[in-house]
């Protein structure tokens, strides 16, 4: 039987302590998230990029670089290999000749949280987990509840009262153990931490289990594969907990080590945040290694309302190492960009994704992005999950038999 995964162990990026991946692990003793390491030399001998390209269109095509040993433990809804499309009309408006969308709007559960859920739940199943708990701003809870249902794992999900209604319903329909909290995701986190401590359930909070990153890193593999095993110049990512940006950076390093892409050529990674919640931007501006808790955070881009991320030091490190940057976008700019993308290109992007377009526009105006550079905006979810961000005014209601030529607008 051919080897499915080449996972080797877990490693702390802060103190370098290593851990066994065959047992349940959460954070390092020192409090840092753990990263998954692979036997990359063996992967190199075992598989080529050309071979991967011939496999089925799901993120599991990269299974050698994912943590699950046995294919039968894979919990999948066919997620991954989402479109990378060039946006010429929007590009000419922004004076960007090579503007792309990586569109996670068309993935099971309606957001890219599905990637982390598929890989995270599969590994949890392999490890024999029966119950997990997590705080969420909505999309992660929805995805994890749905995949947990498929894997026969009980999912306890705690989300803020004002998280998008649809995510509540996704948890409920999946038979998840849903709880609402009159507070922020950080408050939900405290409730979950207490349950984990008292009842010993598996903590699936962002970065408190090591495998969600592995799911999200596949966006990095896909972007590079879709560009013909080349890296673009800039990738803009709507940053909350930062798992995606940490994952994409990890994927680039792995592909360099595998010899699949040029060494030392990085895409400049951009962490995009909302002005109402910009702890990473504040830290980056000061050149700091960690962020500070962002008080009273608020934004309609719910997925990036994270006042303090556990992996902030990893996000900031990826920005410094790739000569990227961090930028904050106002609610007005973000909603204007959302309208612009839909009306010019037909993509109804989520508010988080819209922020990356507003950021591309601004960074182009500032000259930080050059006209001919290849730029990827990551749309992390479907706009249709957030109907309340679109306001409609002045639509006329017809009576049967009315004429459209005479009806007033
Ligand atoms: C969670 C989420 C984000 C932020 O993702 P992180 O990897 O935690 O930074 C962005 N967009 C959407 C739609 C999300 O649900
Ligand atoms: Zn450590």
């Amino acid at each position: 039987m051919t080897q499915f995964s080449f996972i080797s162990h877990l490693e702390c990026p802060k103190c370098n302590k290593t851990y066994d991946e065959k047992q349940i692990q959460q954070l390092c003793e020192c409090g840092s998230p753990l990263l998954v390491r692979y036997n990359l030399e063996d992967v190199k001998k075992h598989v080529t990029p050309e071979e991967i390209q011939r496999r089925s269109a799901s993120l599991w095509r990269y299974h050698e670089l994912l943590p699950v040993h046995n294919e039968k433990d894979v919990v999948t809804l066919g997620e991954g290999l989402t479109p990378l499309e060039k946006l010429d009309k929007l590009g000419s408006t922004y004076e960007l000749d090579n503007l792309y969308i990586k569109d996670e709007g068309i993935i099971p559960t309606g957001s890219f949280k599905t990637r982390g859920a598929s890989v995270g739940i599969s590994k949890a199943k392999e490890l024999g987990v029966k119950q997990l708990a997590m705080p969420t701003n909505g999309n992660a809870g929805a995805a994890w509840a749905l995949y947990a249902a498929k894997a026969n794992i009980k999912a306890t999900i705690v989300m803020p009262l004002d998280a998008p209604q649809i995510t509540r319903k996704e948890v409920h329909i999946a038979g998840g153990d849903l709880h609402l909290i009159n507070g922020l995701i950080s408050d939900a986190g405290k409730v979950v931490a207490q349950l984990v401590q008292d009842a010993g359930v598996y903590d699936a909070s962002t970065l408190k289990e090591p495998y969600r990153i592995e799911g999200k890193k596949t966006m990095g593999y896909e972007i590079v594969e879709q560009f013909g095993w080349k890296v673009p110049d800039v990738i803009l990512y709507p940053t909350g907990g930062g798992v995606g940006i940490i994952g994409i950076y990890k994927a680039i390093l792995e592909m360099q080590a595998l010899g699949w892409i040029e060494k030392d050529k990085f895409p400049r990674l951009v962490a995009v945040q909302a002005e109402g919640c910009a702890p990473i931007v504040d830290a980056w501006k000061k050149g700091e290694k960690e962020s500070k808790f962002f008080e009273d955070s608020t934004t309609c881009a719910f997925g990036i309302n994270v006042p303090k991320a556990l992996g902030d030091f990893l996000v900031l490190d990826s920005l410094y190492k790739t000569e990227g940057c961090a930028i904050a976008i106002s609610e007005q700019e973000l909603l204007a960009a959302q309208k612009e993308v839909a009306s010019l290109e037909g993509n109804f992007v989520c508010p988080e994704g819209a922020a990356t377009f507003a950021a591309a526009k601004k960074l182009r105006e500032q000259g930080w992005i050059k006209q001919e550079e290849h730029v990827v905006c990551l749309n992390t979810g479907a706009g249709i999950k957030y109907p309340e961000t679109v306001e409609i005014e002045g639509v006329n209601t017809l009576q049967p038999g009315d004429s459209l030529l005479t009806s007033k607008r």
Side-chain angles (χ1 to χ4, degrees):
M1 208 184 82
T2 63
Q3 197 173 339
F4 193 68
S5 170
F6 286 75
I7 183 173
S8 146
H9 60 278
L10 301 171
E11 186 181 43
C12 174
K14 228 176 206 165
C15 73
N16 300 324
K17 192 171 159 58
T18 61
Y19 292 84
D20 180 7
E21 53 82 26
K22 294 222 163 57
Q23 325 237 298
I24 290 176
Q25 307 288 357
Q26 308 252 224
L27 293 174
C28 179
E29 273 167 23
C30 78
S32 164
L34 295 171
L35 297 179
V36 182
R37 299 298 179 207
Y38 297 84
N39 292 314
L40 295 177
E41 283 306 311
D42 293 343
V43 175
K44 215 168 170 173
K45 284 179 226 147
H46 179 83
V47 69
T48 61
E50 292 70 33
E51 213 174 312
I52 285 177
Q53 240 160 302
R54 289 193 291 271
R55 292 179 179 167
S56 68
S58 114
L59 62 81
W60 291 97
R61 72 209 258 114
Y62 308 105
H63 60 77
E64 285 90 349
L65 300 147
L66 292 173
V68 180
H69 289 286
N70 200 327
E71 194 169 2
K72 75 167 183 19
D73 287 323
V74 168
V75 183
T76 180
L77 300 175
E79 57 292 314
L81 220 70
T82 54
L84 177 78
E85 294 293 330
K86 192 153 184 266
L87 304 180
D88 283 328
K89 282 165 78 186
L90 191 67
S92 73
T93 314
Y94 289 0
E95 290 186 0
L96 286 168
D97 297 344
N98 296 290
L99 176 65
Y100 291 81
I101 182 172
K102 173 71 173 162
D103 195 1
E104 300 283 300
I106 50 157
I107 196 164
T109 84
S111 92
F112 79 133
K113 290 293 195 305
T114 267
R115 293 179 187 266
S118 178
V119 175
I121 290 283
S122 299
K123 188 68 181 181
K125 186 179 166 198
E126 176 179 290
L127 291 166
V129 169
K130 296 282 178 279
Q131 187 186 352
L132 61 80
M134 72 185 325
T136 174
N137 272 334
N139 285 331
W144 283 70
L146 285 156
Y147 281 82
K150 196 169 167 84
N152 295 320
I153 293 173
K154 180 181 174 188
T156 296
I157 310 289
V158 188
M159 67 171 76
L161 262 176
D162 52 354
Q165 287 277 343
I166 188 71
T167 60
R168 229 190 250 194
K169 294 181 183 182
E170 288 174 278
V171 175
H172 179 74
I173 199 81
D177 173 31
L178 173 68
H179 300 268
L180 303 172
I181 187 160
N182 190 7
L184 289 175
I185 188 171
S186 39
D187 301 303
K190 284 174 197 150
V191 175
V192 167
Q194 196 60 49
L195 177 74
V196 166
Q197 203 187 352
D198 296 346
V201 307
Y202 187 61
D203 192 345
S205 308
T206 308
L207 296 174
K208 289 193 182 167
E209 59 77 51
Y211 304 106
R212 194 197 288 208
I213 296 181
E214 298 306 292
K216 287 196 177 180
K217 85 176 178 189
T218 57
M219 290 187 295
Y221 278 91
E222 287 180 17
I223 290 169
V224 167
E225 179 179 340
Q226 287 168 319
F227 275 118
W229 303 97
K230 289 195 181 68
V231 301
D233 298 294
V234 179
I235 299 176
L236 298 105
Y237 181 80
T239 305
V243 186
I245 205 165
I246 297 166
I248 290 170
Y249 180 57
K250 184 173 189 280
I252 303 283
L253 291 173
E254 287 173 359
M255 283 184 278
Q256 288 184 353
L258 287 162
W260 291 1
I261 54 172
E262 218 177 299
K263 264 227 149 59
D264 303 325
K265 186 180 182 316
F266 288 93
R268 308 199 304 281
L269 299 178
V270 179
V272 181
Q273 299 202 296
E275 281 181 1
C277 183
I280 299 287
V281 178
D282 288 350
W284 178 80
K285 279 185 180 156
K286 294 182 199 138
E288 278 165 7
K289 290 202 169 122
E290 283 178 19
S291 65
K292 293 200 176 63
F293 190 93
F294 197 97
E295 297 292 341
D296 304 321
S297 65
T298 168
T299 168
C300 73
F302 224 75
I304 54 175
N305 190 350
V306 180
K308 165 82 182 161
L310 194 58
D312 56 357
F313 69 103
L314 294 170
V315 175
L316 287 158
D317 185 53
S318 77
L319 303 184
Y320 298 134
K321 293 268 171 65
T322 65
E323 293 174 359
C325 70
I327 183 168
I329 299 301
S330 71
E331 298 295 287
Q332 212 177 352
E333 289 169 323
L334 171 168
L335 293 173
Q338 190 187 33
K339 177 102 177 64
E340 212 159 32
V341 178
S343 58
L344 287 176
E345 299 288 354
N347 297 89
F348 186 3
V349 301
C350 64
E352 296 86 346
T356 66
F357 287 95
K361 182 180 182 180
K362 255 180 145 164
L363 291 171
R364 173 70 197 106
E365 284 164 5
Q366 295 167 8
W368 193 86
I369 300 178
K370 297 193 188 64
Q371 182 159 356
E372 68 286 357
E373 287 188 310
H374 286 73
V375 177
V376 178
C377 288
L378 241 158
N379 176 42
T380 41
I384 52 174
K385 288 191 91 170
Y386 308 67
E388 62 290 341
T389 60
V390 182
E391 278 175 34
I392 305 180
E393 276 162 34
V395 178
N396 192 20
T397 304
L398 300 172
Q399 298 306 324
D402 280 359
S403 161
L404 290 175
L405 289 174
T406 53
S407 83
K408 49 191 183 315
R409 269 214 61 148

